[in-house]
Amino acid sequence: MKAKLHLEKILGAVLEEKGWQWPEKAVLEPPRDKQFGDMSANIAMMLSKQAKMNPRAIAEDLKSAIGDDKYIEKIDIAGPGFLNFTFSPSFWQDMVPEVLEKGIDFGKSDMGNGRKVQVEYVSANPTGPLHIGHGRGAALGDSLVRILEFTGHDVSAEYYVNDAGRQMLILGNSIWVRLQQSQGRDIPQPEDFYKGDYIQDIAAEVLDLNPDILEKSDEEAIAICREYGKDKILNGIKTDLAGFDVRHDVWFSEKSLVSAGKVEETFKDLTERGMAYEADGALWFKSTDLGDDKDRVLRKSNGDLTYFASDIAYHDDKFKRGFDTVVDIWGADHHGYIPRMQAAVEALGKKGGLEVILVQLVNLLRDGEQIAMSTRAGKFETLEDVVNEVGRDAARFMFLSRKSDSHLDFDLELVKQRTMDNPVYYVQYAHARICSVLRKAADEKFEINENDLSCLARLVEEEEIDLLKLLDQFSDVAENAGRTMSPHAISYYVRDLATVLHRFYSKHRIIGVEDDLCRARLILLKAVARVLQNGLALLGVSAPEKM
């Protein structure tokens, strides 16, 4: 943020001259109320103890020491010692050439300093199509990956394929039951059973590929059904995610943990660290040493592994691959599992290395009524169906429109409307509106010379300055979104920028005013369009030129 950097520079020079250290809790930020200027600083209050002076006296001292600065129009002191800075229009006008020069790189930073981060998301069991809840996690994870890369992190996106364990057995048995029923066998429906029509479709395909399967033992037939079903569903998941423009660099198989001996490696490591022990024929994780109410089983007395054992081994493998930070995106129903997983990571010597982001449920509405969803019962709205109905952009934007741990009402009818009440349309139309104005200017042979920006001095109206201030905030918003892992902050930002753009458009003529002013406003619009594009790209949403 240019304004923040400028203040840090001049205030830093003053503090150095006075022999004061920059206070750790000093904050420079835009005030909530515009009447308090462009930037507000609490630095005088934070210096009080160090300088052994009254905060207001320190504020007066700092104001005097700053003196005349060509970019600072006014400095006010408020309350107990807040410093409120108002910048000159020329300071904000200088934002435009910076945006135009950096283009798609405007807003980028090296805040992450190349730190290696792995983000694991979706990771739905390959037992059925992705539903809308998975879509929210997919949009969140993919956008977070984009933001982290934009802010200087070395990021890898991963999907954990749960291709082992009880759910896979249920899938195989469900397909086998449906296959036998389709051939007239009187097979009762098991209690644990996937009932969707897709199971019947897969069963028919298995029979077509394995015409002799009815002659095989149940164990062998279920194994065939399980493997085919898993591959078929997983390929469908990959297709759905590709259509949703969601990237995964690694598809990690749970089975590989056992086959490669990684689970046993982790058990050995925990035992050597004194964090695992044998008792009653089972292997236990000593989680009570890390605040848990009881120790947890890793390997049962019959030799079966628990889900927890696989999860520990998987996270152990993540850190052994060299990641500094591991980010897991889970459904909100896994909230109680976080302390246990954090304890396991701590036991592996990686305390603080795991970040967990929870994703709340999506309430999908149609005609004002909630759609009930249950993968097991075969009643759900698939991600593919939703994307086909409302479009990828609308779905992604809506999923990212609120903080991930907040419930989200997704109204299918609202996001299809071409009105300003539709938040997706509202933002995309801001970009399309700019493109329409630029096309009209070109049609009227009005030339813009980006090498001569002296006309920008004409940008002095309140809405013009507000647009320029928002452009300046983009890099800070992106950094904060990466630091706090909050992609919704980008959606808030582009909505704010769209709001000011629409307000500017409704109050001020662009084409048809005096040439220099027209030229300045067209160049400003080009800069706003660029930042809208960059922000929407972080959400994985397009910036259409026509709507």
Side-chain angles (χ1 to χ4, degrees):
M1 189 174 181
K2 184 182 172 187
K4 183 177 178 180
L5 292 174
H6 185 72
L7 287 182
E8 286 177 345
K9 181 179 178 181
I10 61 175
L11 285 170
V14 172
L15 264 61
E16 184 178 358
E17 183 180 319
K18 293 181 174 296
W20 296 338
Q21 298 296 313
W22 187 276
E24 184 180 342
K25 295 183 179 180
V27 176
L28 306 176
E29 61 185 2
R32 292 183 181 179
D33 192 329
K34 288 167 60 174
Q35 70 171 322
F36 297 118
D38 300 326
M39 292 290 288
S40 183
N42 68 348
I43 191 167
M45 290 173 286
M46 297 300 104
L47 280 168
S48 181
K49 186 175 180 180
Q50 180 187 157
K52 298 178 181 178
M53 291 171 61
N54 178 281
R56 194 164 181 100
I58 295 173
E60 294 283 1
D61 207 4
L62 292 175
K63 176 180 178 179
S64 176
I66 290 171
D68 293 331
D69 181 278
K70 68 175 183 177
Y71 287 130
I72 297 178
E73 195 171 77
K74 184 173 63 169
I75 303 175
D76 293 321
I77 299 172
F82 283 103
L83 283 162
N84 295 324
F85 298 86
T86 300
F87 286 84
S88 65
S90 64
F91 178 85
W92 300 116
Q93 292 154 6
D94 284 349
M95 284 304 306
V96 174
E98 183 179 346
V99 173
L100 297 179
E101 180 182 341
K102 292 184 177 178
I104 61 172
D105 291 331
F106 179 76
K108 277 188 177 181
S109 74
D110 59 0
M111 180 265 291
N113 199 29
R115 187 173 178 81
K116 288 177 65 67
V117 180
Q118 186 228 46
V119 185
E120 183 221 326
Y121 51 104
V122 186
S123 298
N125 291 337
T127 55
L130 295 178
H131 56 64
I132 193 169
H134 297 133
R136 189 178 189 186
L140 175 68
D142 185 72
S143 181
L144 180 58
V145 168
R146 294 168 187 252
I147 291 166
L148 290 173
E149 288 184 333
F150 195 72
T151 53
H153 299 80
D154 180 3
V155 190
S156 177
E158 187 151 315
Y159 189 115
Y160 182 55
V161 182
N162 296 273
D163 53 3
R166 185 167 176 270
Q167 298 306 315
M168 286 292 97
L169 293 175
I170 294 174
L171 173 68
N173 191 45
S174 300
I175 297 169
W176 176 228
V177 167
R178 285 301 194 204
L179 189 153
Q180 293 177 90
Q181 289 175 342
S182 73
Q183 298 305 298
R185 289 187 178 181
D186 186 16
I187 306 294
Q189 194 164 285
E191 184 177 338
D192 284 328
F193 186 74
Y194 290 107
K195 301 175 183 177
D197 291 343
Y198 68 95
I199 296 293
Q200 294 174 307
D201 295 338
I202 293 173
E205 293 175 21
V206 171
L207 180 60
D208 187 53
L209 292 169
N210 302 271
D212 62 343
I213 194 170
L214 292 167
E215 302 169 15
K216 297 182 182 296
S217 67
D218 281 353
E219 183 179 355
E220 190 176 358
I222 289 172
I224 292 171
C225 291
R226 181 177 67 243
E227 286 305 303
Y228 182 84
K230 181 259 296 180
D231 290 342
K232 173 77 175 182
I233 292 170
L234 186 59
N235 286 335
I237 288 172
K238 289 181 177 181
T239 298
D240 288 349
L241 290 174
F244 202 38
D245 198 19
V246 169
R247 149 193 160 195
H248 284 97
D249 304 310
V250 176
W251 295 77
F252 191 97
S253 164
E254 181 184 1
K255 268 187 178 180
S256 70
L257 288 169
V258 177
S259 61
K262 292 178 181 178
V263 175
E264 291 302 322
E265 279 182 28
T266 301
F267 287 172
K268 182 181 178 183
D269 187 12
L270 289 173
T271 302
E272 290 175 351
R273 291 171 179 267
M275 293 304 298
Y277 63 93
E278 297 272 358
D280 301 324
L283 183 68
W284 298 75
F285 174 53
K286 205 173 182 181
S287 51
T288 50
D289 279 7
L290 297 170
D292 204 349
D293 59 340
K294 62 181 180 180
D295 291 344
R296 305 289 174 172
V297 177
L298 298 174
R299 184 173 55 221
K300 300 175 185 178
S301 56
N302 65 1
D304 289 345
L305 298 175
T306 62
Y307 285 119
F308 189 39
S310 297
D311 285 345
I312 296 176
Y314 177 42
H315 284 79
D316 189 23
D317 179 77
K318 291 183 182 188
F319 287 111
K320 284 177 178 174
R321 282 185 266 157
F323 294 110
D324 301 303
T325 300
V326 164
V327 183
D328 289 354
I329 297 179
W330 297 348
D333 56 333
H334 289 77
H335 180 271
Y337 198 58
I338 296 176
R340 199 182 311 172
M341 203 64 244
Q342 295 280 19
V345 168
E346 182 178 348
L348 293 168
K350 297 295 181 180
K351 183 177 181 179
L354 171 65
E355 296 281 348
V356 179
I357 301 173
L358 295 178
V359 181
Q360 270 290 359
L361 297 173
V362 178
N363 296 319
L364 187 63
L365 307 176
R366 187 184 297 280
D367 296 326
E369 293 191 10
Q370 187 169 339
I371 299 172
M373 294 183 287
S374 169
T375 305
R376 188 74 60 83
K379 289 178 62 181
F380 50 86
E381 198 79 16
T382 67
L383 176 62
E384 180 187 19
D385 288 342
V386 171
V387 172
N388 286 341
E389 182 168 348
V390 305
R392 185 195 70 198
D393 285 346
R396 287 189 66 123
F397 193 93
M398 289 303 297
F399 286 142
L400 297 167
S401 64
R402 297 194 66 189
K403 194 175 179 183
S404 66
D405 61 1
S406 299
H407 284 281
L408 175 67
D409 287 335
F410 191 126
D411 190 326
L412 289 168
E413 298 308 316
L414 173 64
V415 298
K416 289 189 290 185
Q417 294 174 12
R418 296 171 63 83
T419 71
M420 292 300 205
D421 292 329
N422 176 354
V424 189
Y425 181 87
Y426 184 78
V427 175
Q428 289 186 315
Y429 184 59
H431 184 267
R433 174 170 261 176
I434 291 173
C435 293
S436 175
V437 173
L438 293 175
R439 282 195 301 271
K440 185 176 180 182
D443 290 343
E444 296 186 10
K445 310 299 181 185
F446 193 90
E447 295 185 3
I448 303 173
N449 182 5
E450 293 183 19
N451 294 318
D452 179 9
L453 299 179
S454 58
C455 61
L456 296 177
R458 299 295 302 275
L459 300 176
V460 294
E461 296 290 346
E462 181 182 359
E463 291 76 21
E464 293 165 345
I465 298 299
D466 286 346
L467 281 171
L468 293 167
K469 290 178 185 178
L470 275 172
L471 300 187
D472 183 41
Q473 291 176 25
F474 180 57
S475 60
D476 258 27
V477 171
E479 280 195 7
N480 287 332
R483 189 177 294 110
T484 61
M485 301 189 185
S486 305
H488 69 277
I490 302 295
S491 71
Y492 288 0
Y493 172 82
V494 293
R495 274 183 286 180
D496 288 345
L497 186 55
T499 295
V500 179
L501 182 280
H502 291 311
R503 188 188 307 141
F504 164 73
Y505 184 87
S506 66
K507 290 188 70 173
H508 301 286
R509 293 180 65 191
I510 300 166
I511 296 174
V513 296
E514 187 268 323
D515 280 3
D516 255 11
L517 180 57
C518 178
R519 193 172 292 111
R521 287 178 173 171
L522 289 171
I523 294 172
L524 170 62
L525 290 185
K526 289 190 71 172
V528 173
R530 165 47 62 194
V531 178
L532 280 170
Q533 290 170 32
N534 290 4
L536 287 169
L538 294 179
L539 301 175
V541 176
S542 69
E545 295 185 3
K546 293 182 180 181
M547 293 184 73

